[in-house]
Amino acid sequence: MAKLRPYFNIMKRNILFISCLAMLSFSIWQTDFEKAKKIAAEKHQLILLNFSGSDWCIPCIKMRKEIFDAPTFMAMADTSLVLLNADFPRKKKNQPNPEQKKQNEYLAEKYNPEGKFPYTVLLDANGKLIYQWDGLPNENAAAFALKVKTISDANK
């Protein structure tokens, strides 16, 4: 058992690291479109806007866990993107405040009028549409991150 102790310590550190990444991932997503545009302009970055149904849309939940929370995507996003989420939860306890709800509806009218979920768009700092993904991408986080990075680099 004493021989296994170093491995347990390594596992605990890895679990802590992964937990911190997940919390960081959640906290870097903007919810204010104007603030996201301002940050994108200042940093010369693009905005990745994701429309999600966080408490009912299975593909949305899968996209968050398998792509957006992945360290490869987060590392790329940290240097290339301003992340913006427009969430449309169904459960009463998860409803955004009225101001946030109004903004999400505005974003949906402008960029997602068909109401698709998940639906992800890449925008410039002025809000001009550059690229769009309809549904859950059929690729892993690394491939998705590379595609987004390539598009981002070509549009700076």
Side-chain angles (χ1 to χ4, degrees):
M1 190 64 148
K3 290 181 180 180
L4 294 176
R5 190 166 289 131
Y7 297 107
F8 288 128
N9 289 337
I10 291 170
M11 286 174 44
K12 282 195 281 188
R13 274 187 263 142
N14 286 343
I15 290 169
L16 180 62
F17 176 72
I18 291 168
S19 297
C20 288
L21 277 177
M23 287 188 299
L24 176 64
S25 166
F26 182 74
S27 67
I28 66 168
W29 284 82
Q30 299 293 320
T31 56
D32 183 316
F33 186 46
E34 293 305 316
K35 183 177 178 182
K37 289 194 306 185
K38 182 179 177 185
I39 295 168
E42 290 171 357
K43 292 186 172 187
H44 305 287
Q45 295 177 338
L46 298 181
I47 300 166
L48 185 119
L49 168 58
N50 179 250
F51 292 91
S52 66
S54 64
D55 63 4
W56 61 270
C57 172
I58 302 304
C60 299
I61 295 166
K62 190 173 182 181
M63 188 169 189
R64 170 68 77 163
K65 288 180 181 178
E66 294 179 6
I67 294 179
F68 294 145
D69 288 348
T72 53
F73 177 82
M74 290 308 302
M76 179 280 304
D78 186 47
T79 60
S80 302
L81 301 172
V82 176
L83 301 175
L84 178 65
N85 188 39
D87 192 24
F88 293 84
R90 289 189 178 159
K91 293 180 182 173
K92 188 175 182 177
K93 68 178 184 174
N94 297 333
Q95 292 299 306
N97 66 49
E99 191 175 304
Q100 184 68 52
K101 199 173 203 174
K102 185 177 179 181
Q103 178 187 249
N104 290 353
E105 289 169 359
Y106 164 78
L107 291 170
E109 285 177 25
K110 184 168 182 157
Y111 298 108
N112 187 10
E114 294 178 28
K116 299 175 182 180
F117 291 93
Y119 189 70
T120 308
V121 295
L122 200 55
L123 310 168
D124 70 12
N126 295 314
K128 179 184 171 201
L129 180 67
I130 294 172
Y131 200 87
Q132 58 195 357
W133 292 266
D134 185 356
L136 179 65
N138 192 19
E139 54 202 350
N140 65 25
F144 184 77
L146 180 61
K147 185 173 190 172
V148 173
K149 176 76 169 140
T150 302
I151 296 167
S152 178
D153 288 348
N155 286 279
K156 284 190 177 181

